[in-house]
Amino acid sequence: MATSPCSSSGVSSSSSSGLGADAGLEIRTRSVEQTLVPLVSQITTLINHKDKPKRSDKTLQAIQRVGQAVNLAVGRFVTVGEAIANENHELKEEMSVACIEARRAGETIAQLTDVASLDHPESDSHITIFTDKTGVVKAARLLLSSVTKVLVLADRIVIKQIITSRNKVLATMEQLEKVSSFQEFVQIFSQFGNEMVEFAHLTGDRQNDLKDEKKKARMAASRAVLEKCTMMLLTASKTCLRHPDCESARINKDGVFHRMRLALEQVIEIVTDSRPNGENEMAPISIYSGIKEFKNKVEGLRENLYFLSKENLSTMLEVILEHTEDFTDSAYTSHEHREHILELSKQAKMELEQLVSVWMQAQNQKTKDLMEDLEVAILKTCQCMNELKREVHSAATSLAADLLKYHTDHMVLKALKITGVEGNLEAVAEYTCKLSEQKEQLVEMCRLLRHVSGTEPLEITCIHAEDTFQVTGPQIISAAETLALHPSSKIAKENLEVFCEAWESQLSDMSLLLREINDVFEGRRGEKRVYLSLPRPGKHNSNLKTLKPVKLDTEVRYRHFSKKNFHFFILSEECVFKCHKYGYHLQEQAKIAKLGLELHLLTSDVDSETEKWEDQENEIVQHGQGMSSMAYSMYLFTRGEGLLKTTQDLFHQAEIFATEGTKLASALHALSDQVHNDDKPLLLLEAEKLISMCKQLQITAKASAQGKSATFTKVDACILKTRNVMTLLCQLLPLCCKLLRKNKAGNGCLKPAPPWKEDRLRTGTNARTPERRVDTFGIKSLENHVTNMTFLESK
């Protein structure tokens, strides 16, 4: 369905500027907002000076310079706007009018501020900012309104580009659905890959540009679906082509196409801010949001006894308690939690009845005693709601933790793969029933987590996770049935692997989501630290050399998503999608993506180990955290994200990582002097291993590499050796903990790791460790214009 960009370009609300830009314009993107900031600043300077009694020559000259600068900037801006209008005829009339208004307003401001050459700027013979004080305000308002209108109209063009790109993707998908030969499929899929690169680039930029965090979360969820489904589309289509008469293969393929179409449609709904058939979006209602709103209303009685009715409060509480039935009716809620929730629900009703009684009396007779009684009733009601919130949070998160731990071995998926290859239809049917049970458990877990997520973006992430389990479960079943019917089919086996990996990936994402939810509940909204070895503007990193720009013919830029065997690459800004060539480049790309994922998992393991140390200032912990942060940055590089933009950045990071590893080895040598003699040889042996591995990494990172092939090899080697160091670090940290505990028995050198604590929550004070945001699906912010995609056939 094609959507008109002009119908939803962001023209509906008020401007954030106090100077009052057009009340019909809403600024929805950061780029538009940031473009207006300097203009607002300059105009505000002029407005503030028009009423100042003292006007020195220096001040008058400054005012004139500002006015001229505004006029010149507006002139250049309007020239660009007019060029855009000429290229987009459907917007030409509106854009031209806005450009004319902006130019006129800029010239007016320049005339009103032409005061530096006048002896008496207040003279009535020459109209200036000082004689026509309302004129400059009117001109400023007109200027802001017209410039904002030009920006919003230009934004419509971006929306139009996304819609056009989506329509091209849909058209190619229809061709892919109808192909009957593998050769034809390869050709069309190549075109599809290029179109998805363009779509991913446009939507990635748009996601980063959106101001509304809720919309950003929805966009991230939709784009995650497209990411995972593209590999599924590839293998499911190939399976269907190989086994055209297999009903389960057809069902499997149809499910992928359907889900991709829904995700594409949701992206368009977000960028156009519209819903199909004009229906309004129903915001998900959670217990947390309900309690928050209820408490706000109750506490508002302190200021105003008449602003709402008792019926409103009673209805709000009824809705909250109705949602708690999701917990009390769930088969997976423990008996203890169920009883506590029911008890607190009953208490909440009683507290509200008492509050309403005192409230009604206070409305009739406002005595000191009654107001004190009202305050007590308000406090007790809010306290009861806080306890209810805490109880449902505990019920949801404890269930999630138990389920994720129970399903971490993926035994059902492994059994499905084995029995499918054996062609054992009866066993496959048995394990598909178990997978369906697992799916119901995980879906219920997501529903309960949504109630306690604490923020709208996290609510949306929970809903997305629920949908993913709901859809992926049956798709795994159909893929397993296809394999069981064709046990010797390599493509059917590969197809089942892809769907199982998507399931495993979502389970991994749920663990990270659970941590975020706990962080919100506990008031921890900090960000993961990043060990930044690259110079930043305004930061004095005297120990770092400024990186020289590298020519594109020797510099390899990676911008891709990777989920094990699913890879999206941009190589030197060019698409290298060539399905008919399955040689060196594809193998190398697959290998690097896999290494990146392994590196990510190792950083989580290291974070978990460092959190167990009570002394977070311990030198070993400090070096371990720094190395983990650097390894995380290198993982983000393999995804095309983060602050490492080029291969040169990666190599420089690898050098710093190796240096930090050498410092850690020195700390291990110092620790060996403190431990018992029996333990010393083992610790020294591990330290020597670390030194050797870090030296090898430094040599690799400093080695020269000419051409794409050599650069790929060097990238591969650096990430591989970083992974090996991180593997050793995962073994070293618990060993050091054990030795310290043994050496300082009873001193409490360790503390138990709190459940689901955020990775590296503590923000370092060292200048070399600025903050970073956890970048994982669902809760990821997707910093710095991430995601250009190229889809590669990996087989």
Side-chain angles (χ1 to χ4, degrees):
M1 181 184 74
T3 309
S4 169
C6 298
S7 63
S8 52
S9 62
V11 185
S12 68
S13 166
S14 61
S15 167
S16 58
S17 140
L19 293 167
D22 192 326
L25 297 175
E26 178 185 2
I27 299 171
R28 292 193 179 124
T29 58
R30 298 185 190 280
S31 56
V32 173
E33 184 178 67
Q34 289 169 2
T35 303
L36 289 172
V37 166
L39 180 60
V40 172
S41 175
Q42 297 278 41
I43 291 176
T44 302
T45 301
L46 296 177
I47 299 297
N48 290 341
H49 272 91
K50 70 180 177 66
D51 293 322
K52 288 190 177 180
K54 292 184 179 181
R55 296 162 191 148
S56 65
D57 290 342
K58 189 175 181 181
T59 300
L60 295 175
Q61 290 172 4
I63 291 173
Q64 182 165 332
R65 283 198 302 271
V66 171
Q68 290 173 346
V70 168
N71 187 34
L72 287 171
V74 170
R76 289 192 294 268
F77 177 81
V78 166
T79 301
V80 175
E82 289 170 342
I84 292 172
N86 291 330
E87 294 172 3
N88 296 270
H89 295 291
E90 69 277 15
L91 299 176
K92 186 171 183 177
E93 185 177 349
E94 286 183 89
M95 183 74 87
S96 297
V97 170
C99 287
I100 290 170
E101 290 179 352
R103 194 186 295 277
R104 186 186 303 142
E107 291 171 352
T108 301
I109 287 176
Q111 292 170 4
L112 292 172
T113 54
D114 186 14
V115 295
S117 60
L118 299 178
D119 294 331
H120 301 285
E122 298 88 348
S123 172
D124 292 337
S125 61
H126 187 90
I127 299 175
T128 69
I129 188 174
F130 303 113
T131 59
D132 187 4
K133 296 180 180 180
T134 59
V136 72
V137 175
K138 288 179 181 178
R141 284 177 176 166
L142 177 61
L143 180 59
L144 284 177
S145 175
S146 54
V147 168
T148 303
K149 193 177 295 182
V150 171
L151 290 168
V152 170
L153 289 170
D155 194 55
R156 288 189 192 177
I157 297 167
V158 176
I159 295 172
K160 178 186 173 184
Q161 290 173 339
I162 294 174
I163 292 171
T164 302
S165 178
R166 186 281 310 257
N167 290 340
K168 287 196 294 185
V169 169
L170 280 177
T172 309
M173 281 177 63
E174 288 182 10
Q175 295 179 49
L176 283 173
E177 268 188 303
K178 298 173 183 176
V179 297
S180 56
S181 71
F182 185 76
Q183 184 178 4
E184 183 184 7
F185 172 78
V186 167
Q187 292 172 349
I188 298 174
F189 194 84
S190 176
Q191 177 187 342
F192 175 73
N194 289 330
E195 291 168 352
M196 283 298 286
V197 169
E198 178 190 14
F199 186 74
H201 174 73
L202 292 171
T203 54
D205 286 348
R206 189 67 179 182
Q207 176 182 312
N208 291 326
D209 202 20
L210 289 170
K211 290 172 61 182
D212 189 317
E213 292 298 325
K214 184 178 175 182
K215 287 181 181 177
K216 288 181 79 167
R218 290 180 62 213
M219 181 76 89
S222 299
R223 295 178 72 245
V225 169
L226 293 172
E227 174 195 345
K228 293 179 181 179
C229 281
T230 303
M231 188 59 176
M232 296 176 184
L233 182 145
L234 177 62
T235 58
S237 297
K238 285 166 60 179
T239 304
C240 236
L241 288 169
R242 186 66 55 83
H243 309 289
D245 299 325
C246 182
E247 180 67 12
S248 58
R250 185 191 62 77
I251 292 171
N252 184 258
K253 186 189 84 168
D254 289 348
V256 177
F257 275 93
H258 177 68
R259 195 168 185 221
M260 285 194 76
R261 285 193 175 95
L262 290 178
L264 288 166
E265 196 59 42
Q266 186 173 46
V267 168
I268 300 306
E269 289 173 16
I270 295 165
V271 298
T272 60
D273 201 30
S274 63
R275 301 284 291 176
N277 304 321
E279 62 189 51
N280 293 325
E281 179 188 359
M282 293 298 292
I285 301 172
S286 68
I287 291 176
Y288 262 32
S289 58
I291 288 177
K292 182 179 179 180
E293 185 180 359
F294 178 79
K295 284 174 59 184
N296 286 339
K297 296 292 185 185
V298 168
E299 291 172 341
L301 294 175
R302 295 187 177 109
E303 305 296 329
N304 188 341
L305 296 174
Y306 307 96
F307 79 106
L308 81 164
S309 66
K310 63 180 181 181
E311 289 77 17
N312 284 345
L313 269 186
S314 298
T315 301
M316 290 175 70
L317 182 61
E318 285 174 12
V319 171
I320 294 169
L321 298 185
E322 185 178 326
H323 286 309
T324 62
E325 293 175 6
D326 290 347
F327 287 82
T328 56
D329 293 347
S330 173
Y332 307 109
T333 301
S334 69
H335 176 73
E336 181 183 356
H337 281 129
R338 183 179 291 107
E339 289 299 312
H340 285 168
I341 292 170
L342 289 171
E343 182 181 335
L344 288 168
S345 299
K346 183 179 179 181
Q347 183 183 342
K349 290 180 181 178
M350 293 171 57
E351 298 294 355
L352 180 59
E353 287 178 6
Q354 178 62 25
L355 172 63
V356 169
S357 175
V358 178
W359 173 25
M360 293 298 105
Q361 293 179 50
Q363 281 184 339
N364 296 327
Q365 190 177 4
K366 213 171 184 179
T367 65
K368 182 180 178 181
D369 290 342
L370 280 175
M371 294 309 294
E372 289 177 354
D373 291 343
L374 178 64
E375 178 64 23
V376 170
I378 289 173
L379 291 173
K380 291 178 71 175
T381 302
C382 291
Q383 176 63 26
C384 181
M385 299 310 292
N386 287 338
E387 290 176 7
L388 178 61
K389 184 173 78 168
R390 189 176 297 109
E391 191 63 35
V392 294
H393 177 271
S394 175
T397 54
S398 60
L399 169 65
D402 291 343
L403 281 178
L404 292 174
K405 183 178 180 181
Y406 181 73
H407 294 308
T408 192
D409 56 4
H410 308 299
M411 290 303 297
V412 175
L413 299 182
K414 292 175 183 175
L416 278 173
K417 294 174 190 176
I418 293 170
T419 53
V421 170
E422 293 172 349
N424 191 337
L425 287 167
E426 186 177 340
V428 166
E430 177 186 344
Y431 285 110
T432 56
C433 289
K434 291 184 178 180
L435 183 66
S436 295
E437 292 174 7
Q438 186 181 130
K439 181 202 75 175
E440 292 304 318
Q441 293 174 353
L442 295 171
V443 165
E444 183 75 1
M445 172 192 74
C446 293
R447 287 173 182 165
L448 299 185
L449 283 176
R450 178 178 66 80
H451 278 302
V452 301
S453 54
T455 68
E456 282 189 332
L458 290 181
E459 281 185 37
I460 290 167
T461 305
C462 290
I463 293 170
H464 165 75
E466 179 185 339
D467 291 341
T468 299
F469 287 125
Q470 199 77 267
V471 173
T472 310
Q475 287 179 318
I476 291 174
I477 291 171
S478 60
E481 290 171 350
T482 302
L483 179 59
L485 290 170
H486 307 278
S488 60
S489 173
K490 292 183 179 179
I491 183 58
K493 181 181 178 183
E494 179 192 21
N495 189 46
L496 178 58
E497 287 278 359
V498 167
F499 283 95
C500 288
E501 285 173 7
W503 183 274
E504 293 168 8
S505 172
Q506 188 58 52
L507 277 175
S508 177
D509 290 337
M510 290 307 300
S511 296
L512 295 163
L513 175 60
L514 182 59
R515 294 182 186 181
E516 281 287 310
I517 289 171
N518 277 316
D519 289 340
V520 171
F521 180 76
E522 294 172 16
R524 298 191 311 240
R525 299 304 303 276
E527 300 175 347
K528 290 185 79 171
R529 293 188 301 146
V530 61
Y531 188 107
L532 185 62
S533 61
L534 302 178
R536 294 181 68 192
K539 297 287 181 182
H540 301 287
N541 295 314
S542 57
N543 61 319
L544 301 177
K545 297 179 180 179
T546 303
L547 292 177
K548 296 180 180 179
V550 184
K551 293 181 181 179
L552 279 178
D553 59 347
T554 59
E555 177 183 301
V556 183
R557 293 178 181 270
Y558 298 87
R559 294 180 181 176
H560 70 102
F561 286 122
S562 65
K563 290 290 181 186
K564 294 190 178 177
N565 289 328
F566 179 34
H567 317 289
F568 303 69
F569 274 80
I570 287 291
L571 191 55
S572 295
E573 307 298 336
E574 296 177 359
C575 174
V576 293
F577 182 94
K578 294 181 181 177
C579 279
H580 60 284
K581 291 185 179 180
Y582 305 133
Y584 171 81
H585 285 304
L586 299 184
Q587 294 171 358
E588 286 301 305
Q589 292 164 4
K591 189 175 181 182
I592 290 171
K594 184 173 182 293
L595 285 173
L597 186 62
E598 291 173 356
L599 205 56
H600 183 204
L601 297 174
L602 286 167
T603 61
S604 296
D605 292 340
V606 170
D607 292 342
S608 178
E609 290 299 330
T610 56
E611 285 171 357
K612 296 177 183 178
W613 290 63
E614 187 174 78
D615 180 13
Q616 289 290 309
E617 299 303 319
N618 187 286
E619 192 176 1
I620 293 173
V621 174
Q622 292 283 305
H623 291 308
Q625 288 176 335
M627 293 172 71
S628 182
S629 283
M630 285 187 278
Y632 187 85
S633 294
M634 296 169 79
Y635 153 69
L636 289 181
F637 173 84
T638 68
R639 289 176 58 92
E641 303 171 15
L643 296 164
L644 307 179
K645 301 301 182 186
T646 69
T647 51
Q648 292 301 315
D649 295 347
L650 177 75
F651 301 149
H652 187 68
Q653 183 79 95
E655 286 185 53
I656 304 298
F657 176 88
T659 301
E660 192 72 5
T662 304
K663 292 178 181 177
L664 174 60
S666 298
L668 295 177
H669 277 285
L671 177 63
S672 68
D673 296 332
Q674 304 172 29
V675 301
H676 299 293
N677 290 333
D678 295 342
D679 301 317
K680 190 171 184 176
L682 175 61
L683 192 57
L684 290 175
L685 179 63
E686 295 299 314
E688 290 306 314
K689 277 187 193 176
L690 181 60
I691 292 172
S692 175
M693 293 168 76
C694 289
K695 283 182 178 178
Q696 291 176 21
L697 176 57
Q698 279 187 325
I699 292 169
T700 301
K702 291 178 180 179
S704 63
Q706 300 295 327
K708 293 178 184 177
S709 178
T711 306
F712 263 127
T713 303
K714 184 175 176 180
V715 168
D716 176 28
C718 282
I719 297 176
L720 176 62
K721 290 178 180 179
T722 301
R723 184 203 67 178
N724 294 340
V725 173
M726 289 294 290
T727 303
L728 179 60
L729 183 58
C730 285
Q731 300 167 4
L732 277 170
L733 287 169
L735 172 64
C736 293
C737 266
K738 180 181 177 182
L739 295 179
L740 277 173
R741 181 166 49 196
K742 182 177 177 182
N743 197 49
K744 301 178 181 179
N747 291 340
C749 100
L750 296 177
K751 65 175 180 180
W756 309 111
K757 186 176 180 182
E758 181 190 36
D759 290 343
R760 270 195 305 282
L761 178 67
R762 184 182 59 82
T763 302
T765 55
N766 195 309
R768 67 184 181 183
T769 57
E771 295 179 338
R772 83 175 176 205
R773 185 182 299 278
V774 182
D775 189 29
T776 51
F777 162 69
I779 53 181
K780 52 191 176 184
S781 62
L782 298 175
E783 60 180 352
N784 297 333
H785 301 290
V786 183
T787 52
N788 287 326
M789 298 194 298
T790 298
F791 303 88
L792 294 176
E793 161 79 280
S794 63
K795 295 290 180 182

